[in-house]
Amino acid sequence: MKEDSIRVDLVSDTQSRPTPGMRRAMAEAAVGDEQRGSDPSTNRLCEMVADLLGKETAVFLPSGTMCNQVAILVHCRSGEEIIADETAHIITSEGAGAAALAGAWVRPLAGRNGVFSAEQVRAAIRPRNRNAPRSRLVAIEQTSNRGGGTVWPLSAIKAVVEVAREHELVLHMDGARLMNAVIASGTPAAEFAAPFDSVWLDLSKGLGCPVGGVLAGRTDFIEEAWRWKHRLGGAMRQSGILAAAGIYALEHHVERLAEDHANARLFAEHIAGITGIELRPASVETNLVFFSVEGTGLSAAEIAARALERGVHIGVEGSHVMRAVTHLDVDRRGVEEAAETLATVIGDVPKAGLAHGKY
Ligand SMILES: *Cc1c(COP(=O)(O)O)cnc(C)c1O
C-alpha cells in the first residue's frame, strides 16, 4: 500500500495508513447525511470526542487546519489579535488563514520549545485604548509540533489561563497531538482541555485515520462553528465512512501511542551518537524528534536526499534542522534502520555500544 521505494517513512505521522481493522470499520459504517445531523457514525464520533474532552458537544471537520480556522473565525473579529508561540502551526502552516479569513493577526511569543509563560502572555496583552489591536485569543499547541513534540505541563497551562482570564481573553487549544500528550504525561485529556473554550484533536496524525479532526466546546460555540463549517464547504454527507475510522482509532490506537514514544526515544538515542548531530531539544517527550545536522558539514536537504535514496524518508525543517516522526507504520526495527542509514549517509562510523551487532 506504500510507495515501494520508501521502507521507513519518518517524515510525518500523517504517513500512517489505515489498518485492515480500520478499513473494515469504515466499510461497515452506518451512514446518513451529516449536514442534516443524521449520520449516526459521525454523531457517535462527536459524542465520543466531546466526552473524552469534557465538552458539551463537538463537530467533525475535514482537517485540523479547518478546526483551527473555524475556531479562530468564531472567536475573533477583524482587527483582533491572537497570542501564540512563534512556532505555532497557525503561524507557520495555515496560509496566514487567521489574517486571510478572520482578519485577525497573530502575535508570536518566543517560548521555550513551544511553551510560553504566563509572564510572556501578560507582557503581550495590549492596553485597552483606541490605537492598540484588541487582544482576544490565546492559542496553545498540545503537543507543540515545532517546539519538538513538547508536552505543555498542566501547571504551565493553568498559569497562562489565569492571566488570560484576568484579561477576559478566549482560550483555544490546537490539540493535533493532544492524545500523545495524554499518553506521555498520564494527565487525562479532559483535564488538559478543561480551561479551553475550544479544543480539537486530529484523527489523521498519530491516531492513523485517513482524514479529519474533531472540534469541541460549548453548544453555542459549536453552533457558530457549524455555520463556518458549512460556509467553507466543510459540511459533508455520508461522512460516517470517515467517522468510523475515528471511532476505531479512539478505541484501538490511543494506548499504542506509547510505542511511538518509545521508538522516538530509541531513534534519538541512536542518532545522538552520530558525530555532528545534536538533538533539539535534547530530550524527546513524545513522537517527534528534531535534530540539527550542522556539525556534519552537510545540509539537511542533502542528508534527506541521500537517506531517501536508501528508502528512509526524514523531514527537512530548516537548512540544518531535520525532523523524524514515529507512528503506527514504523516499528522498532524501522527506527534502528533509519538511524543506521543516517550514520551511513553522513559517513559516520556508529559509536560502540549502540551499534554492535545491530548494524
Ligand atoms: C498537523 C497539524 C495541524 C493541521 O492538521 P491537518 O489535519 O494536517 O490540517 C494543526 N496543528 C498542528 C500542531 C499540527 O501538527
Side-chain angles (χ1 to χ4, degrees), residues 19-260:
T19 60
M22 181 178 282
R23 285 171 183 263
R24 264 195 306 280
M26 295 172 75
E28 291 163 8
V31 297
D33 185 340
E34 194 219 18
Q35 278 193 30
R36 294 171 189 272
S38 69
D39 184 275
S41 302
T42 306
N43 291 345
R44 169 136 187 265
L45 171 67
C46 290
E47 271 168 38
M48 283 172 80
V49 173
D51 281 354
L52 178 68
L53 302 181
K55 299 297 178 195
E56 285 176 11
T57 188
V59 60
F60 184 44
L61 291 166
S63 70
T65 299
M66 200 183 281
C67 289
N68 275 335
Q69 292 307 318
V70 163
I72 289 169
L73 282 161
V74 175
H75 292 314
C76 299
R77 304 193 23 202
S78 164
E80 293 185 333
E81 192 169 64
I82 299 166
I83 296 170
D85 190 77
E86 63 191 1
T87 63
H89 198 276
I90 57 171
I91 296 180
T92 63
S93 310
E94 299 184 11
L101 303 174
W105 72 8
V106 192
R107 173 109 181 236
L109 300 184
R112 190 164 178 276
N113 302 327
V115 177
F116 48 81
S117 69
E119 292 67 40
Q120 285 177 293
V121 174
R122 193 184 294 285
I125 294 172
R126 308 283 185 181
R128 291 192 192 210
N129 60 35
R130 288 180 182 161
N131 326 358
R134 186 181 288 137
S135 304
R136 171 67 181 158
L137 175 71
V138 177
I140 79 150
E141 228 173 76
Q142 183 70 306
T143 64
S144 163
N145 177 347
R146 286 183 180 76
T150 333
V151 177
W152 269 79
L154 206 49
S155 56
I157 289 177
K158 285 183 171 161
V160 162
V161 166
E162 199 179 305
V163 174
R165 289 296 182 214
E166 232 175 79
H167 294 267
E168 295 171 357
L169 304 189
V170 178
L171 288 145
H172 173 70
M173 177 187 280
D174 170 340
R177 295 185 181 81
L178 172 59
M179 299 319 291
N180 292 86
V182 168
I183 293 301
S185 66
T187 302
E191 240 176 276
F192 278 135
F196 292 87
D197 299 287
S198 50
V199 51
W200 62 272
L201 47 89
D202 208 317
L203 301 171
S204 70
K205 300 274 166 80
L207 295 179
C209 298
V211 172
V214 184
L215 174 66
R218 280 190 310 274
T219 307
D220 56 348
F221 167 79
I222 295 296
E223 265 311 303
E224 287 303 303
W226 254 104
R227 291 187 69 78
W228 278 111
K229 168 180 159 95
H230 199 97
R231 198 174 278 140
L232 296 172
M236 293 175 262
R237 301 297 188 184
Q238 284 75 51
S239 55
I241 302 279
L242 302 171
I247 294 168
Y248 184 91
L250 291 174
E251 287 172 346
H252 298 93
H253 291 170
V254 175
E255 295 301 324
R256 65 151 306 287
L257 291 171
E259 289 169 38
D260 298 343

Side-chain angles (χ1 to χ4, degrees), residues 276 292-303 306 319-322 342 344-347:
S292 162
V293 294
E294 190 130 35
T296 64
L298 295 167
S299 72
E302 282 170 315
I303 293 172
R306 292 183 190 183
S319 60
H320 291 90
V321 178
M322 302 186 77
L342 265 187
T344 304
V345 302
I346 288 167

